[in-house]
Amino acid sequence: DADVTQTPRNRITKTGKRIMLECSQTKGHDRMYWYRQDPGLGLRLIYYSFDVKDINKGEISDGYSVSRQAQAKFSLSLESAIPNQTALYFCATSDITGTSPTGELFFGEGSRLTVL
Amino acid sequence: AQSVTQLGSHVSVSEGALVLLRCNYSSSVPPYLFWYVQYPNQGLQLLLKYTSAATLVKGINGFEAEFKKSETSFHLTKPSAHMSDAAEYFCAVRVAGGTSYGKLTFGQGTILTVHP
């Protein structure tokens, strides 16, 4: 089983609908992130969480919200989806204080979202 | 603020030829640097990382990268390309220390095509 699991893997929705992307991890890491990937733009940070009580905006948080339900779960919501939110979304974890002090990220396999 | 620039959004090589993917970074403090690979329909996988221990870093699948502070570069190389190397490659930077919360800043990505 994957250490970082994202659901759904693919989703097609319509403009104005509310969408939730879920992420769960078994790595025991405190830090979790949501990135968005667009062709030619690389990965851009949407939100990140240091622990359950810590939520921070990234560089492109407008139109998104997150919830850290537990150490292992971090969900991303689009309250009212719009077509320019069509993208590939990645959840990632890191553990700076533990076995990976360099802060490398461990990624899920991505959730492809299409907003019509 | 930290940033990464990958020169060339597409690189095409013949099987057996040298692979060179370019990455330049901007950081006011010593950085951690990473190369990730993304195969089709998969998440990102760490290829290698620079942590200041050695300027020449060896990674998986025969890839290596050299940190050159004077040139602010961290180019990725492989002596002999294989068909299975076809993928998208991302360079990323994280500053050491401070309040960066482990945030990685990614380059735009370079798609590597390998011809028979």
Side-chain angles (χ1 to χ4, degrees):
Chain A
D1 289 339
D3 293 326
V4 183
T5 302
Q6 294 183 230
T7 56
R9 294 291 313 280
N10 288 283
R11 181 71 182 271
I12 300 174
T13 191
K14 294 182 178 180
T15 297
K17 294 291 187 181
R18 184 179 188 274
I19 295 296
M20 179 181 287
L21 305 180
E22 298 184 327
C23 177
S24 63
Q25 53 115 345
T26 58
K27 300 189 74 67
H29 290 170
D30 287 328
R31 300 179 180 194
M32 298 187 73
Y33 309 80
W34 276 104
Y35 282 88
R36 167 178 172 161
Q37 183 182 10
D38 297 279
L41 296 179
L43 278 75
R44 294 179 292 167
L45 183 62
I46 307 173
Y47 271 95
Y48 60 102
S49 172
F50 186 47
D51 62 29
V52 174
K53 297 181 180 180
D54 178 77
I55 302 290
N56 302 279
K57 293 182 177 181
E59 58 183 306
I60 56 164
S61 59
D62 288 348
Y64 301 95
S65 62
V66 292
S67 174
R68 185 82 183 267
Q69 301 94 325
Q71 186 207 33
K73 296 184 181 294
F74 192 39
S75 60
L76 176 71
S77 294
L78 289 67
E79 297 301 325
S80 180
I82 56 177
N84 76 0
Q85 292 178 312
T86 294
L88 183 57
Y89 292 85
F90 283 104
C91 176
T93 71
S94 72
D95 179 23
I96 288 181
T97 58
T99 57
S100 301
T102 54
E104 66 199 66
L105 298 180
F106 298 84
F107 285 86
E109 296 199 333
S111 295
R112 185 170 297 280
L113 176 65
T114 302
V115 184
L116 302 176
Chain B
Q2 62 210 43
S3 66
V4 174
T5 301
Q6 292 183 238
L7 300 176
S9 58
H10 290 80
V11 171
S12 180
V13 301
S14 298
E15 191 172 21
L18 171 72
V19 175
L20 171 61
L21 304 182
R22 301 178 186 272
C23 173
N24 287 89
Y25 70 92
S26 172
S27 174
S28 59
V29 297
Y32 293 130
L33 294 160
F34 307 84
W35 275 100
Y36 283 85
V37 59
Q38 183 183 26
Y39 298 105
N41 299 314
Q42 295 187 24
L44 279 72
Q45 176 184 0
L46 183 68
L47 267 181
L48 51 79
K49 60 185 177 183
Y50 167 73
T51 63
S52 77
T55 57
L56 183 62
V57 181
K58 295 186 183 297
I60 62 172
N61 300 337
F63 284 93
E64 62 181 37
E66 185 173 8
F67 173 71
K68 292 187 177 180
K69 184 178 179 181
S70 61
E71 299 178 7
T72 61
S73 68
F74 190 56
H75 301 332
L76 182 70
T77 61
K78 182 174 181 178
S80 177
H82 191 273
M83 296 295 289
S84 61
D85 294 327
E88 189 163 14
Y89 293 79
F90 293 93
C91 183
V93 62
R94 180 179 85 83
V95 296
T99 59
S100 65
Y101 289 104
K103 292 185 294 181
L104 267 65
T105 299
F106 286 84
Q108 303 92 324
T110 298
I111 296 173
L112 175 66
T113 302
V114 182
H115 296 288

